Amino acid sequence: MHVLSALFRLTAALIAIIPAARAADCGPQALGVSRVIEIDGGERLALGLQTYPRTLALADREVVLTFDDGPAHGATDRVLDALKAECARATFFLVGAHATEAPALVRRIVAEGHNAGHHSYSHPARTLRLMSEGAAQADIEKGFRAVDAAAGFPPADSPHFPFFRFPGFADTPELVRWLEDHDVAVFGADLWASDWQEMTPRAELELVMSRLEAAGKGIVLFHDPRPSTAAMMPEFLRQLKARGFRLVHIVPGDGPTPIVHAKPGWTSATEAIIAKTLGPKGLRSEPQEEGRGVKSQ
């Protein structure tokens, strides 16, 4: 699983081309995809400033859309409908057990030019951090196989989309290194919609847009099974277009991946949340180190 095949890279390149071709069908009023960034997991990447001291080097008002915890019948369909109407592309970090239950949705995600990334098989309530290293690795690998099978990809040593996000952002140094050793890029986020909380679609829209305006750019996290997210997604995409934001799609591919490091004094926002949720037993065993294992440009 350490080396991605040439066939895999060719497939990823074709996926990057398809959205641009389809965007012409939507017309100039659609959000579309402004550019594609190839992510090389072999560069040992762990990205997203809420958790890691580095992220994608995006231009001002560039946004990467990501979704967690799906697929879910009903809500994920509505999110995909909204994205399709705007010729927009996103990365869906899928729970393997949910993918097994809804393979048609996984196939639709891939067919419409999105990434079917990974979010463990079971999304354990104890988090992967509180499992043994062997059990956590087994859960992750089972998730790889489940998503790939649901999408219709043949069994392989490497996941077809080598993107992973830890449930609850509760990683461990050992698991991050293990994923990096297998050329899988690890993603946090730069900002989120807090859609795990109960709120109206209007309140969620106002919250995420206010955070985007403040940050100016970034990797945004939603949860596609959430009804409020599904309901607000069409207006959210229209607001991105109206306010001059541009959508960037990420795909597996060749590097160098454009990286920017956190500003001095950076701290992990998610570690504070995890400590509050899990208590002392949930604390990360070693701190994040700025600049470890990544290339900058």
Side-chain angles (χ1 to χ4, degrees), residues 1-268:
M1 196 164 96
H2 183 69
V3 180
L4 295 175
S5 68
L7 177 60
F8 168 78
R9 293 194 183 279
L10 175 60
T11 302
L14 290 174
I15 289 171
I17 293 169
I18 289 171
R22 289 177 178 169
D25 298 334
C26 285
Q29 79 285 352
L31 176 62
V33 173
S34 66
R35 70 181 177 117
V36 174
I37 293 178
E38 292 189 4
I39 306 295
D40 181 2
E43 294 180 89
R44 310 185 68 80
L45 301 174
L47 305 172
L49 293 176
Q50 294 284 14
T51 304
Y52 305 107
R54 62 199 76 85
T55 193
L56 288 174
L58 300 173
D60 187 44
R61 303 192 88 71
E62 285 191 332
V63 177
V64 175
L65 295 183
T66 68
F67 296 87
D68 282 6
D69 288 4
H73 289 296
T76 302
D77 303 78
R78 294 173 68 189
V79 169
L80 288 169
D81 288 345
L83 293 170
K84 185 176 182 179
E86 294 288 338
C87 285
R89 301 293 177 263
T91 295
F92 289 80
F93 291 95
L94 304 177
V95 175
H98 297 168
T100 300
E101 295 167 355
L105 275 176
V106 181
R107 291 193 294 272
R108 181 183 173 188
I109 286 169
V110 174
E112 294 183 0
H114 309 290
N115 298 312
H118 304 276
H119 200 44
S120 80
Y121 178 80
S122 64
H123 201 298
R126 296 177 60 245
T127 76
L128 295 173
R129 183 176 292 186
L130 296 184
M131 297 169 65
S132 71
E133 185 175 354
Q137 290 177 4
D139 192 272
I140 292 170
E141 289 185 318
K142 187 176 181 180
F144 290 163
R145 294 191 297 271
V147 171
D148 280 0
F153 300 129
D157 292 336
S158 302
H160 192 86
F161 293 101
F163 296 165
F164 185 81
R165 180 178 278 149
F166 281 89
F169 306 106
D171 65 358
T172 71
E174 295 78 14
L175 288 173
V176 170
R177 293 189 191 103
W178 176 74
L179 287 163
E180 291 174 342
D181 288 344
H182 291 80
D183 295 343
V184 176
V186 176
F187 284 87
D190 296 323
L191 62 145
W192 48 62
S194 297
D195 55 354
W196 52 82
Q197 301 174 358
E198 292 295 332
M199 68 181 85
T200 66
R202 172 54 58 180
E204 183 179 336
L205 177 65
E206 292 175 354
L207 177 61
V208 70
M209 290 309 304
S210 68
R211 289 175 175 174
L212 259 178
E213 291 287 1
K217 59 185 175 182
I219 303 168
V220 185
L221 166 64
F222 292 101
H223 292 78
D224 51 292
R226 296 295 296 172
S228 61
T229 294
M232 60 79 72
M233 192 52 53
E235 182 59 25
F236 170 72
L237 297 173
R238 288 191 290 267
Q239 284 292 316
L240 289 181
K241 176 74 171 182
R243 301 192 192 195
F245 287 95
R246 301 177 305 281
L247 191 61
V248 174
H249 187 40
I250 55 174
V251 299
D254 295 322
T257 304
I259 299 299
V260 63
H261 296 284
K263 296 178 180 178
W266 173 90
T267 58
S268 168

